[in-house]
Amino acid sequence: MSAKAPGPSDTTQSELYLEYCKKGEIIHRFAENLAQTLGVFHGINSTGKALRLEGEATGALSTILFDQLQIMVIRLSALCDNGTRNDDASLGQLVSGVSVPSFQQFLIDKETQWQRAVGHRAGTTRDIPRLIRELKARWSILKGEQDALTRIKHYRNKVLAHATTGLDPSQRVLIRDIWRLSRLALSVAKYIRLLLERDDWNYLDHSEDGKACGRTLVRSLHRDNKVRGL
């Protein structure tokens, strides 16, 4: 009689957890950068239009907005791509990884152990299955935006790597695409962070911080223009 093949051990799940946490930290940095950049872009764009800036300030703001757009495209594409290397990190990789039943059970057991160790100081117990359902639902919505994702990746491939005439006019990136997909991606990143780190990090709040900084920058340029009589 042949021996039964061993299933995933606790050690294996622990190693996976450490790997996912490492990749999750990379995702966290990219998501935080995307949130801040998104906020700065909208702060500059909306305030610049409201104040009707003219002269040199307009050219400077246009350059800043263009560069901010490139950064958002790069960050959003990186978050939504499925990497091909073992050390690549993406939302899709982590959504797939934490959704595996054996790893989900590992998170449930880990939560139970933490509750026992900390006692009443632990506060609210996380409902791991519910969080994973929420995560998968948000990821499904994001992946359903294939047309917009294709436009963004086409823009990244053609414009950011080359000075080219090969940009397909029908695949032009729209600001509303970036805004919508960024909010969806940040929502997915929030649930990944909550599952792996017990950290309820609100990226959209930080996006508002970036927006405030963008507004401050434009108002400062507006005041300088008035002083210089431009």
Side-chain angles (χ1 to χ4, degrees), residues 129-181:
R130 180 185 65 80
L131 292 177
I132 291 179
R133 286 196 299 271
E134 294 280 0
L135 170 65
K136 291 171 70 175
R138 282 161 172 73
W139 175 244
S140 179
I141 294 171
L142 177 58
K143 291 300 290 181
E145 295 281 355
Q146 280 303 315
D147 288 345
L149 285 169
T150 297
R151 285 194 293 272
I152 287 172
K153 291 177 182 179
H154 176 75
Y155 183 87
R156 176 200 62 185
N157 294 341
K158 289 297 184 181
V159 175
L160 300 187
H162 311 280
T164 180
T165 59
L167 182 64
D168 184 348
S170 68
Q171 296 294 329
R172 289 173 53 190
V173 172
L174 303 176
I175 298 300
R176 63 174 174 266
D177 287 338
I178 295 176
W179 173 247
R180 183 177 67 260
L181 295 183

Side-chain angles (χ1 to χ4, degrees), residues 7-45:
S9 66
D10 288 340
T11 301
T12 300
Q13 296 300 330
S14 296
E15 289 173 350
L16 276 176
Y17 176 72
L18 293 176
E19 178 187 342
Y20 293 161
C21 284
K22 183 177 181 180
K23 291 189 175 187
E25 188 60 29
I26 299 298
I27 293 298
H28 173 62
R29 294 176 192 172
F30 267 63
E32 180 67 4
N33 184 278
L34 174 62
Q36 291 280 358
T37 306
L38 185 68
V40 170
F41 182 94
H42 280 282
I44 291 175
N45 192 42

Side-chain angles (χ1 to χ4, degrees), residues 18 25 50 66 69 75 90 94 98 103 173 176 178 197:
L18 293 176
E25 188 60 29
F66 181 77
L69 177 66
R75 292 290 181 259
S90 69
L94 291 179
V98 302
F103 189 78
V173 172
R176 63 174 174 266
I178 295 176
E197 301 287 351

